[in-house]
Amino acid sequence: TLTGTAPRKPVSQYKLVGTRVARLDLPDKVSAKYTNMQHVRVPDMLHGRVVRPRGQGPYGTGAKPLSIDESSIKHIPTARVVRKGDFVGVVAAREWDAVKTARDLKVAWQTSSSLPRNAKLHETMRAAKTTDTLVVDDGDLAKGFAQAAHVASASYQLPYQAHLPFGPNCALADVGPDGALVMSSTQDIYNSRRMLADVLGLPPEKIRVQYYEGSGTFGHSCYEDAAQAAAIMSQVVGKPVRVQFMRWDEHGWDNFGPAHVAEVRAAVDASAKIVAYEYQGWQHGWHVIETSQELALGTPPQERISGSNSIIVNRMSTGAMYAIPNRRVVSHAVPMVGLLKGSPLRSPMDMHYSFASEQVIDELAHAAGIDPLEFRRRNIAGERWLGVLEAAAAAAGWTPRVAAASPSDAEVVTGRGIGIGTHHVSFGAAVAEIEVNKVTGTIVAKNLYGALDAGLTVNPALVENQIVGMMVQATSRILKEEVTFSDSNVTSVDWVSYPILRFAEHPTVTPVVVQRLDEPSTGAGEEVMGSTGAAIANAFFDATGVRLRQYPMTPERVRAALAARKT
């Protein structure tokens, strides 16, 4: 056996790395020849649908059927109810028949009225009994604030948001007594196989999981739930079953990106140096058990505690980009049971952290009477943070001025903002140019400029593509997206009640790759999300002189904030 380290080619000899290479998958995707999971069919299969209440209730209460009237579907040929524990599904020979069966089946559900409703969510989280972690404790915070010439502090309330692929999740399972084949869009085939083994009561080595690309997820959506639902139904009926969620299944039973409460304060001294910073964050973690398993086996609700990036506030997104001698970050883990089911959503939690943290940093710049870019230059921690900051500003043609220095009385006003952030690796910065209609409350992101340093970028075209996608998605999330719920269940179960950015609202995005040939390659799919949301929030202040402490920055919230300033 030979051991050792293969010699690494000098960067100066690279001929392909660092050049733009076209994607091989795009021609088939553009021409609709590509096989997505939703396109897969096998002979002699049945079509299945899950049957659940329209919108999940408090995590831990499941969906318990009190009665099922199977006579309500007698008019649909080949239709059949499939039940295992509290799991309810239907199958039929034709897909439309399965859709009608799920729609028409009369089920009486046990309900709970213990959700806090949207209006009480953050108050409930803030008052919860938490598990606390001191994430960062540098210097002497009291001493730092004692040096303050200006202090900025605020509380922020951030929403649950959903994954919601354009095509609802889909899976196809063929389960027999001695083994199973499950086709799905899982992001972890081995963990998927392990969970399927638990659900089916089969040894993992008897289960084959085959991956097919889905229609976009950006985190842990319902792909495992769909796979388990298909497997449960196939095992019961003894035939292959294809399950596709309906839009209300996907919207109502998603594993949502968790909500968050932030309390942030920071201070600068007379020379405009940040001397103290404190971030207190409240959030819950991520679920472990998929809904199908929870219902079918009666598995108690479980929350991922250890190894969860959402349970612990991210030190990288909360002031780490600045040279701050006295800094404290405290994470308060809120129990998930009784709230909504959570799971990682692209750049998990960092949109929340950056929206709060970077607005406080901007407030310090304003209090010191300094241009927001220049203020960050004076306080930046390291060459690579400075690199993306300068790259985004240069792309935007940034000219120095104090934010909101000359507010306009016009009906439609413009503003620009800047923000920096990341997930856990890489370095991101963004500049946003927006337009605000003060009468309607509508915010339009006109131009976005995003810079990303992900070390050695092998194919800059792919990273530019990621930057554009991140910034468009971040715009949608910061302006429009919020899961809504009553005291009993989720109520945002379609694209009307959960709106997203439309093509006509698409900002013009300028992506900048800060190439570092001498640095290891790091993440390039999440690290500009937080900075984009923060830049839009800071641009709103520049345009109006008003801060929004809650997103999405909907017209209703904009009008309320502008009206409050006048009173």
Side-chain angles (χ1 to χ4, degrees), residues 351-399:
M351 291 273 294
H352 295 340
Y353 304 146
S354 295
F355 181 83
S357 182
E358 281 291 284
Q359 285 204 76
V360 168
I361 297 299
D362 234 48
E363 288 189 65
L364 292 179
H366 187 261
I370 299 175
D371 168 73
L373 171 61
E374 177 58 28
F375 181 79
R376 287 173 171 81
R377 283 175 177 151
R378 295 186 189 187
N379 287 282
I380 207 76
E383 173 191 356
R384 297 181 72 176
W385 280 118
L386 181 61
V388 292
L389 182 69
E390 298 284 14
W398 187 279
T399 54

Side-chain angles (χ1 to χ4, degrees), residues 213-271:
E213 188 171 342
S215 58
T217 281
F218 301 108
H220 188 150
S221 69
C222 299
Y223 48 81
E224 302 289 12
D225 192 6
Q228 291 181 15
I232 289 167
M233 290 194 229
S234 177
Q235 188 176 49
V236 171
V237 303
K239 296 185 71 172
V241 175
R242 174 187 179 271
V243 169
Q244 180 156 359
F245 280 6
M246 302 299 290
R247 176 51 57 193
W248 47 83
D249 300 324
E250 192 78 42
H251 271 70
W253 288 87
D254 185 35
N255 315 309
F256 303 117
H260 183 64
V261 177
E263 295 180 359
V264 191
R265 62 178 182 138
V268 289
D269 63 13
S271 62

Side-chain angles (χ1 to χ4, degrees), residues 256-300:
F256 303 117
H260 183 64
V261 177
E263 295 180 359
V264 191
R265 62 178 182 138
V268 289
D269 63 13
S271 62
K273 291 290 186 181
I274 305 174
V275 291
Y277 175 101
E278 182 178 32
Y279 191 107
Q280 305 263 350
W282 286 260
Q283 67 286 314
H284 64 66
W286 301 338
H287 78 292
V288 176
I289 303 299
E290 299 298 322
T291 300
S292 288
Q293 178 178 343
E294 182 186 349
L295 298 178
L297 303 185
T299 307

Side-chain angles (χ1 to χ4, degrees), residues 107-131:
V107 183
W109 300 99
Q110 179 176 293
T111 60
S112 169
S113 300
S114 59
L115 274 174
R117 293 180 178 266
N118 288 83
K120 294 285 188 178
L121 169 64
H122 298 97
E123 177 185 328
T124 300
M125 293 176 64
R126 183 64 178 81
K129 184 177 180 180
T130 59
T131 302

Side-chain angles (χ1 to χ4, degrees), residues 384-561:
R384 297 181 72 176
W385 280 118
L386 181 61
V388 292
L389 182 69
E390 298 284 14
W398 187 279
T399 54
R401 63 173 172 79
V402 177
S406 303
S408 170
D409 292 328
E411 178 179 314
V412 178
V413 292
T414 60
R416 62 160 199 196
I418 195 165
I420 56 179
T422 185
H423 181 45
H424 286 281
V425 294
S426 304
F427 305 81
V431 172
E433 297 171 348
I434 71 169
E435 188 176 271
V436 183
N437 186 313
K438 293 191 291 186
V439 175
T440 66
T442 302
I443 299 173
V444 178
K446 305 295 286 186
N447 297 291
L448 301 177
Y449 308 85
L452 177 60
D453 172 356
L456 168 61
T457 301
V458 175
N459 186 349
L462 292 184
V463 176
E464 290 169 354
N465 175 270
Q466 287 295 311
I467 295 171
V468 172
M470 278 189 269
M471 300 192 89
V472 171
Q473 187 179 24
T475 302
S476 181
R477 289 172 62 182
I478 213 75
L479 295 183
K480 292 179 177 288
E481 299 185 35
E482 181 175 17
V483 176
T484 60
F485 46 93
S486 66
D487 61 359
S488 60
N489 63 291
V490 168
T491 55
S492 48
V493 293
D494 52 36
W495 294 122
V496 176
S497 50
Y498 189 98
I500 62 171
L501 200 71
R502 303 289 175 160
F503 283 108
E505 301 168 301
H506 192 305
T508 300
V509 179
T510 302
V512 182
V513 175
V514 179
Q515 180 67 279
R516 300 278 186 181
L517 295 175
D518 56 340
E519 295 285 350
S521 298
T522 51
E526 301 182 297
E527 289 72 18
V528 186
M529 294 288 292
S531 56
T532 302
I536 291 172
N538 288 331
F540 178 78
F541 173 76
D542 182 50
T544 65
V546 173
R547 288 281 173 193
L548 284 179
R549 310 295 185 186
Q550 188 173 11
Y551 78 82
M553 300 162 66
T554 61
E556 296 77 14
R557 286 176 179 147
V558 168
R559 293 195 301 267

